[in-house]
Amino acid sequence: MSTMTFGRAINAGLRRAMDNDPKVVLMGEDIGKLGGVFRITDGLQKDFGPHRVLDSPLAEAGIMGTAVGMAYRGYRPVVEIQFDGFIYPAFDQIVCQVAKLHYRTQGAVKMPITIRVPFGGGIGSPEHHSESPEAYFTHTSGLRVVSVSNPQDAYTMIQQAIASDDPVLYFEPKRRYHVKGEVDEAADPASSDMGAARVVTEGTDVTLVTYGPLVPTARDAAVAASDDGTSIEVIDLRSLAPIDFATVEASVRKTGRLVVTHEAAQSGGLGAEIAASITERCFDYLEHAPVRITGFDIPYPYSKLEFHHLPDLDRILDGVDRVMRRPNSLSGLEGAPTPQGAAQ
Amino acid sequence: MNSSRLPAAEFDVEEVVRAAHPADTADLEPGTEMLRVLSPDGTMASGLTARIAGETVDFTPYLAADAEHLRSLYRDMFLIRRFDQESTALQRQGQLALWVPLTGQEAAQIGSGRALAPQDYAFPTYREHGVALTRGVEFAEILRLFRGVTNGGWDPRERNFHLYTLVLAAQALHAVGYAMGMQRDQLADPSLPPAASIAYFGDGASSEGDVHESMVFAASFDAPVVFFCQNNQWAISVPSSVQAKVPLAQRAAGYGFPGIRVDGNDVVAVEAVTRWALEHARSGRGPVLIEAYTYRMSAHTTADDPTKYRLSRDEQEWQSRDPLVRLESHLRSAGLADDTFFGDLDAEARTMATELRRAVLAMTAPDLADRFAAVYAEPHPLIQEELRFFEQYEAGFADEGKHA
């Protein structure tokens, strides 16, 4: 076990994957000499050479399309998209090519591409640098989508993503890059499943589902709620596509209440999918309609406003109050609890 | 709003015809040399040299013009045109959902395809039936996509020929990435035969960002790739003059690699130029752009109606430059092929067409259940769950026939 930052853990995971498989190549903007704008690939070009760590021209579709060709030839490209908001020029290649080539070729050609995306807000950046585009990709058949929330997962899951014969979008919560944690570098990535959600905190009253940057926030909310006598079970989804519904469903059958929180906008987001699926799967166990606590359906706001936009501990606890039928911001804090069945 | 005050978005058909097809295409764009060996009247030059990127290049050693070779080139072009006609008929009869004719582009496709070495890898658009033939794809396999029973049709790894890409220009980047992989393989194992990839695209796709980015990447990494642009004058209904104001081949200079415009209806010149370009790429000297100047003699697809946007006079002009006619003229006038050769070939083509029709009519769709299995390489619980539902749902209709 060693203590390292989130960012260092990804770096260590990349290094181990490159050590283990000469076909692993890294591609992206500024990832070589500079080590990436977040320094996640720091030192890797020096140690593995420019043929395995490519400083690419500044063109996201170009990076993604050439990664497809490299994968076609038998390589395992790991692509860095510099910021979440810069992934859209590569959207066509990801959705029409990366996601569909295995299907189109009946499995003759595999696309073991890992697409690393620093995502989410909270770092005071200008426009296009704080987005949460994961739902665009979870909606696309052929892709796997994961999001990591702690250094150990960051270290292990980057290796699992690279080892997967399917394309994986790997969403990194950039505002947590400097968080430190214990990492077992000897852990065998093959001994765990990146598709499995994890129960972070056990509880009996409310199931609180989240992923990526909001996992620590959800954990804090659970601690705060327990002081008030409410027992929250926090689930870190880890895999956003496919979603481990078995774990979420088992929890909701126990608690009867579901709150989902993410930074991405509400409409058509992961929260909608989880709320609908859990309602279909175990409606009879629900004590209250599922509640979503998310970013608003507005373009990501100016950095001076972003903490009004991002779900925080109080907004999450407000959602908990709603499913617990306590006074909340919708019912009026002094007023009557939300009547059963009322629109949320 | 007074729309007449806005700039005209339309083009005048007469004007386009005058601009794109003057009597002599050599005068089309001054300063642009169009390489040619076999003239429309069937006369063959004995050598071919040109100034390419400031250097004199002698393509003569790359010319393959012995009798047997020329006959085999003619055979490929003849068979693929007959295949094209039969496929069009199959579509008209409702047996194919759509067909993408290649008539007029046989020389560009057969010439470039025959230049490839076995270890080279081709990335086609959706019209490269002639290249498919040169890579050993069966005629019927090409039609599986258009029959609607697959999104592919063949195993690309067996033929070093990628599946058709329907999103314009996406495959140009794949060809560059593949070439970058070849480059790395060569570094790891210098005993591998040098190899190159070739990216096919058209004048329409040349406007796509993916073509630009693929050329930037190819130049940056000296990737062993040949960009083969078939300028067939029309992107569905829009003339090539809307895509480019300079000859497409000249764009290569902006990226820093050689660009060549070749008469795309001259199979001998196309093959020679492509062989040179592939060798250039394989030897580590970087990419080459070839613009094969040709003409789409038929519609964009069977869903298209060229009478709405181009003149029959335009089509007639290009008929005089038909790639098959000129090679036939040469073969006959040089005494390299006689009526027996052409008669036998016609019989072979008719047999091919009959067999093709039989194969197409026998094609059936696979089970939808198979499709669930092909989405991911590794198990996926939600796809498996949906498959279980689908099978259960379908099973509910199993007895329907008995009770009808």
Side-chain angles (χ1 to χ4, degrees), chain B residues 29-103:
Chain B
E29 284 112 357
T32 304
E33 193 175 8
M34 184 150 78
L35 306 188
R36 175 188 288 161
V37 179
L38 182 61
S39 295
D41 64 5
T43 55
M44 181 96 75
S46 58
L48 179 64
T49 59
R51 293 286 292 173
I52 305 292
E55 287 176 36
T56 301
V57 176
D58 185 5
F59 294 99
T60 312
Y62 301 89
L63 288 174
D66 63 87
E68 192 183 335
H69 186 69
L70 291 180
R71 282 194 298 266
S72 76
L73 291 176
Y74 186 84
R75 177 179 174 275
D76 280 2
M77 294 201 293
F78 188 85
L79 288 179
I80 206 66
R81 179 171 291 189
R82 185 68 188 82
F83 164 77
D84 194 32
Q85 290 162 348
E86 190 65 21
S87 302
T88 302
L90 283 163
Q91 194 281 331
R92 292 291 182 235
Q93 292 154 10
Q95 298 298 335
L96 300 178
L98 183 77
W99 180 239
V100 184
L102 94 154
T103 293

Side-chain angles (χ1 to χ4, degrees), chain A residues 194-226:
Chain A
M194 74 173 177
R198 186 180 55 237
V199 176
V200 178
T201 307
E202 289 196 18
T204 52
D205 295 328
V206 177
T207 299
L208 175 57
V209 175
T210 190
Y211 53 89
L214 289 185
V215 172
T217 314
R219 205 174 42 218
D220 290 348
V223 171
S226 74

Side-chain angles (χ1 to χ4, degrees), chain A:
Chain A
M1 282 285 190
S2 47
T3 304
M4 62 178 82
T5 63
F6 204 118
R8 200 70 205 163
I10 302 172
N11 180 281
L14 289 169
R15 179 177 291 278
R16 189 165 168 206
M18 295 184 80
D19 273 332
N20 290 343
D21 184 351
K23 293 291 190 187
V24 175
V25 293
L26 312 189
M27 307 168 71
E29 295 156 3
D30 307 295
I31 66 164
K33 281 208 169 62
L34 180 66
V37 294
F38 292 107
R39 309 293 184 269
I40 302 301
T41 53
D42 189 37
L44 297 176
Q45 189 185 62
K46 184 171 149 286
D47 294 342
F48 293 98
H51 288 290
R52 293 190 63 194
V53 181
L54 285 74
D55 271 321
S56 74
L58 212 167
E60 289 78 12
I63 298 168
M64 201 61 63
T66 50
V68 168
M70 295 272 273
Y72 206 121
R73 183 70 185 181
Y75 286 81
R76 287 186 180 269
V78 183
V79 166
E80 176 175 307
I81 297 294
Q82 198 162 74
F83 279 90
D84 35 55
F86 304 159
I87 199 168
Y88 307 113
F91 195 74
D92 168 63
Q93 285 286 345
I94 296 173
V95 168
C96 295
Q97 307 299 330
V98 173
K100 295 197 174 69
L101 268 164
H102 184 272
Y103 185 81
R104 192 179 303 145
T105 64
Q106 322 253 36
V109 177
K110 295 181 171 55
M111 282 290 124
I113 300 176
T114 301
I115 304 168
R116 294 183 36 240
V117 190
F119 86 123
I123 64 162
S125 268
E127 197 180 6
H128 312 301
H129 292 71
S130 301
E131 305 204 349
S132 297
E134 59 272 20
Y136 294 117
F137 302 102
T138 60
H139 195 65
T140 299
S141 185
L143 301 174
R144 292 177 190 271
V145 182
V146 301
S147 181
V148 288
S149 69
N150 61 78
Q152 180 68 62
D153 276 357
Y155 174 76
T156 303
M157 287 170 69
I158 190 65
Q159 295 176 66
Q160 291 169 331
I162 293 168
S164 172
D165 278 339
D166 289 316
V168 180
L169 280 111
Y170 177 94
F171 280 98
E172 306 169 3
K174 63 172 94 78
R175 65 165 142 148
R176 308 291 184 194
Y177 274 149
H178 301 292
V179 172
K180 284 185 179 165
E182 290 288 305
V183 175
D184 177 7
E185 290 183 81
D188 177 11
S191 69
S192 61
D193 175 12
M194 74 173 177
R198 186 180 55 237
V199 176
V200 178
T201 307
E202 289 196 18
T204 52
D205 295 328
V206 177
T207 299
L208 175 57
V209 175
T210 190
Y211 53 89
L214 289 185
V215 172
T217 314
R219 205 174 42 218
D220 290 348
V223 171
S226 74
D227 293 344
D228 294 338
T230 305
S231 171
I232 295 183
E233 180 146 302
V234 176
I235 294 179
D236 178 358
L237 277 184
R238 303 190 337 137
S239 174
L240 313 185
I243 290 170
D244 176 6
F245 282 119
T247 296
V248 180
E249 184 182 341
S251 176
V252 172
R253 281 174 185 253
K254 179 174 67 176
T255 63
R257 299 177 189 87
L258 173 66
V259 174
V260 187
T261 184
H262 51 63
E263 290 187 16
Q266 181 167 287
S267 298
L270 267 288
E273 178 56 34
I274 294 165
S277 290
I278 291 300
T279 304
E280 285 179 341
R281 283 162 199 262
C282 54
F283 177 73
D284 290 345
Y285 290 79
L286 285 170
E287 302 284 346
H288 190 280
V291 164
R292 291 169 288 169
I293 303 297
T294 69
F296 299 112
D297 282 298
I298 60 173
Y300 196 84
Y302 322 129
S303 58
K304 294 293 186 203
L305 299 173
E306 66 181 333
F307 287 103
H308 297 286
H309 175 77
L310 293 169
D312 60 8
L313 185 144
D314 288 331
R315 278 227 323 261
I316 291 171
L317 290 177
D318 189 49
V320 169
D321 284 339
R322 281 157 66 185
V323 296
M324 294 297 289
R325 300 178 193 285
R326 296 181 189 134
N328 60 74
S329 57
L330 284 180
S331 68
L333 292 177
E334 305 302 326
T338 311
Q340 183 153 7
Q344 297 301 304

